């Protein structure tokens, strides 16, 4: 497999790291505000997520930081405990629990998330991003950045009246120009080749310049300070030190702190595993993340973040999507975004506070569109109803409720279809068993569902380089899209890189040929030399 040098990785991934930094900055501040925590606590979590989690994790695409999905839990816990200092103890406990989960290999549950549910979650997040950024694009910033729910108090028509009454022409102009720049950068090959000058940076700089021109000319189009990025500006080292909150370790004797810590650990771990599965889907090289290592990395990250006054974190879909869409090829991009967050806090908050939220909204709207583009819905429609219905149900449920509830509904519908068939036990061969074999034949049963994904994935993962593998589907009438794509990725990408000879027998040419959605098992046999 091709190795990338550290310097080469930094040069190649700096543009994507810069884009993620620009996206993460207002999200970190907004989530801290929504959580009832000090503003700097969100930035601290973003820095730790980039530098610490990014260094330990082997995920090449995912980006960690404070998560909107935890805001309600954090806000409630801070109110119940009465002090943010006590809450930081809950973050430490959450980190310890996540470390334990990593060591007991709890990350393997991510293998049982079907692709249609993961893709539905991504599309829903894209729709939510667009819906939540439209007000910022219009110059209405009553809602905080990073909020992921759009129906908190039902359908509030008063909100829409207030929204359209507060529209700012200057914000709309900046949004439209920023979107035009982003689209042009994607479409024009000569511009796309300028890796060190991403379209998002050009859009942000253009937004700042336009607004400064509006202000200097006394134009009514000028955007007011409340519609710009708002980062704390310490005047001295003492000011900066006062912005950092340290934990009150007496909280470890409070049962409420332990309950809050356990709750954060469970929710953060599930969200992280969901995001990791989604991030691996966004990786053009289809690399597989070690989810157990990811839980350990998140645990260490939450420990450090809480010790120095930061919010709890997870792997985050919005930032990871922006990272993938900006061309990230390795975790160097995540680390770069953490370094830039640290630099901005220490040196240039005044400059960053000139950025209009409207231009950042344009960046996020384009990210949302790429996640929820019509082609994705069309793709699952063509796969048949057993793929399309769980996909759409997940999209609707996530948008209408929240990420965990929506994914739970999508999973329930997927399992409902699976339970229509007969459940059969799947098994896999260990690396030692595969090493002892002279030739490997993987014979698929009549029906293979996403529940067999983990067993097949482990078998393929254990196949050593320079092997000869035959995957026999001649007796198979149905293969879940998840498994079929995994086999295709193995044959087309990994096998070529590791000199594995793969023979595929009996595979049909169209996804629609595999119409039924019932469970089955995988049988693996050996061919030994006589």
């Amino acid at each position: 497999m091709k190795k990338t040098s550290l310097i080469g990785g930094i040069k190649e991934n700096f543009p994507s790291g810069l884009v993620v930094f620009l996206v993460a900055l207002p999200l970190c501040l907004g989530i801290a505000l929504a959580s009832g925590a000090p503003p700097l606590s969100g930035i601290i979590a973003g820095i730790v997520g980039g530098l610490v989690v990014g260094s330990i994790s082997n995920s090449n695409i995912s980006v960690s930081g404070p998560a909107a999905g935890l805001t309600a839990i954090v806000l409630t816990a801070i109110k119940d405990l009465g002090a943010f200092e006590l809450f930081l103890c809950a973050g430490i406990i959450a980190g310890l629990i996540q470390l334990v989960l990593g060591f007991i290999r709890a990350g393997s549950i991510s293998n049982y998330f079907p692709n249609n549910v993961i893709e539905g979650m991504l599309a829903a997040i894209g729709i939510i991003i667009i819906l939540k950024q439209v007000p910022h694009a219009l110059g209405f910033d009553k809602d905080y950045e990073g909020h992921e729910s759009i129906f908190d108090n039902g359908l509030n028509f008063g909100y829409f009246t207030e929204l359209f009454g507060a529209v700012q022409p200057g914000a709309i102009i900046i949004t439209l120009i920023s979107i035009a720049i982003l689209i042009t950068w994607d479409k024009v090959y000569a511009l796309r080749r300028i890796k060190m000058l991403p379209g998002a940076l050009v859009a942000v700089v253009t937004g700042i310049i336009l607004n400064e021109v509006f202000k200097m000319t006394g134009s009514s189009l000028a955007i007011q300070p409340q519609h710009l990025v708002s980062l704390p500006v310490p005047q001295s080292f003492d000011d900066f030190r006062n912005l950092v909150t340290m934990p009150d370790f007496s909280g470890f004797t409070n049962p409420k702190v332990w309950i809050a810590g356990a709750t954060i650990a469970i929710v953060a771990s599930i969200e992280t595993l969901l995001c990791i599965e989604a991030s691996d889907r966004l990786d053009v090289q289809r690399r597989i993340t070690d989810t157990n290592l990811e839980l350990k990395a998140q645990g260490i990250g939450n420990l450090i973040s809480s010790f120095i006054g930061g919010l709890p974190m997870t792997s985050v879909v919005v930032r990871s999507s922006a990272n993938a869409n900006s061309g990230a090829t390795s975790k160097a991009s995540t680390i770069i975004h953490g370094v830039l967050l640290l630099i901005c806090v220490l040196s240039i908050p005044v400059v960053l506070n000139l950025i209009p939220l409207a231009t950042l909204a344009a960046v996020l709207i384009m990210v949302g569109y790429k996640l929820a583009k019509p082609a994705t819905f069309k793709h699952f429609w063509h796969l048949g109803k057993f793929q399309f219905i769980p996909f759409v149900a997940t999209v609707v449920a996530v948008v209408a409720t929240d990420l965990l509830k929506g994914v739970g509904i999508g999973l329930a519908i997927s399992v409902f279809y699976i339970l229509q068939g007969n459940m059969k036990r799947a098994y896999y061969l260990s690396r030692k068993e595969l090493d002892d074999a002279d030739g490997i034949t993987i014979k698929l049963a009549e029906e293979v569902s996403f529940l067999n994904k983990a067993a097949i994935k482990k078998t393929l993962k254990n196949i050593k380089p320079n092997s000869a593998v035959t995957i026999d589907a001649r007796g198979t009438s149905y293969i879940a899209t998840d498994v079929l794509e995994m086999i295709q990725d193995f044959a087309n990408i990994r096998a070529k890189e590791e000199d594995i000879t793969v023979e595929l027998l009996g595979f049909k040419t169209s996804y629609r040929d595999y119409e039924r959605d019932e469970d089955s098992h995988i049988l693996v046999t050996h061919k030994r030399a006589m």
Side-chain angles (χ1 to χ4, degrees), residues 353-497:
N353 286 346
L354 298 175
I355 300 175
L357 292 177
T359 195
L360 293 178
V363 174
L364 285 169
I365 286 172
M366 293 303 296
V367 170
Y369 174 77
K370 290 178 180 179
L371 289 175
K373 56 188 176 184
T376 303
F377 289 80
K378 184 179 179 180
H379 169 72
F380 279 96
W381 173 260
H382 288 308
L383 294 182
K385 64 180 181 180
F386 294 112
Q387 290 292 320
F388 184 71
I389 292 176
F391 167 76
V392 171
T394 303
V395 172
V396 174
V398 171
V399 172
T401 58
D402 59 37
L403 188 145
L404 292 182
K405 291 177 184 176
V407 169
I409 291 171
L411 283 172
I413 293 175
S414 290
V415 171
F416 171 78
Y417 284 121
I418 294 301
L419 292 180
Q420 293 183 70
N422 294 322
M423 298 292 293
K424 297 178 182 179
R425 181 177 177 83
Y427 66 93
Y428 75 99
L429 293 185
S430 67
R431 183 180 297 276
K432 183 179 185 302
E433 291 173 304
L434 292 173
D435 286 345
D436 292 339
D438 297 314
I440 304 162
T441 297
I442 301 175
K443 183 176 177 59
L444 301 181
E446 183 178 356
E447 295 172 346
V448 181
S449 78
F450 76 85
L451 293 179
N452 306 127
K453 179 180 174 182
I456 299 174
K457 180 189 257 187
K458 289 180 181 178
T459 298
L460 296 178
K461 184 178 179 180
N462 287 335
I463 293 174
K464 61 185 179 181
N466 305 310
S467 299
V469 182
T470 299
I471 304 178
D472 187 356
R474 288 175 293 184
T476 304
S477 62
Y478 168 74
I479 303 178
T481 307
D482 309 46
V483 179
L484 190 59
E485 290 182 349
M486 182 172 64
I487 292 172
Q488 289 175 332
D489 289 341
F490 171 79
N492 296 329
I493 300 176
R494 188 184 149 211
K496 292 180 180 179
E497 293 178 346

Side-chain angles (χ1 to χ4, degrees), residues 182-308:
L182 293 168
I183 293 174
T184 302
W185 230 259
D186 279 342
K187 298 294 184 182
V188 179
Y189 179 72
L191 296 175
R192 197 166 61 243
R193 289 185 61 190
I194 309 176
K195 294 294 186 181
M196 296 304 290
L197 190 62
L201 176 60
V202 177
V204 167
V205 172
T206 302
I208 293 174
I209 293 173
L210 278 174
N211 192 46
E212 291 303 307
V213 170
F214 293 156
K215 289 194 290 188
M216 287 188 295
T217 58
S219 172
S220 60
L221 298 175
I223 296 177
Q224 301 303 312
Q226 64 267 31
H227 304 304
L228 306 175
V229 169
S230 179
L231 190 67
V233 184
Q235 302 297 324
S236 64
F237 178 77
D238 287 337
D239 290 343
F240 181 79
R241 186 175 59 184
N242 292 334
L243 292 173
V244 178
T245 306
M246 303 301 291
D248 179 355
F249 294 106
S250 65
F252 287 113
T253 62
N254 188 338
K256 290 184 177 180
V257 171
W258 286 87
I259 293 172
T263 303
I264 291 169
I266 293 170
V267 175
S269 297
I270 293 173
E271 287 208 14
T272 290
L273 294 177
L274 286 168
C275 181
I276 288 299
E277 193 71 14
S279 298
D280 286 351
R281 294 283 300 161
L282 294 170
D283 184 2
V284 294
Q285 299 182 44
R286 290 295 192 268
R287 290 164 289 188
I288 298 174
T289 298
D290 184 338
T291 50
N292 297 306
L293 176 61
E294 184 67 29
L295 287 178
K296 295 174 187 175
Q298 296 289 333
I300 294 172
N302 277 320
L303 278 171
I304 294 175
S305 178
S306 298
F307 266 117
I308 59 177

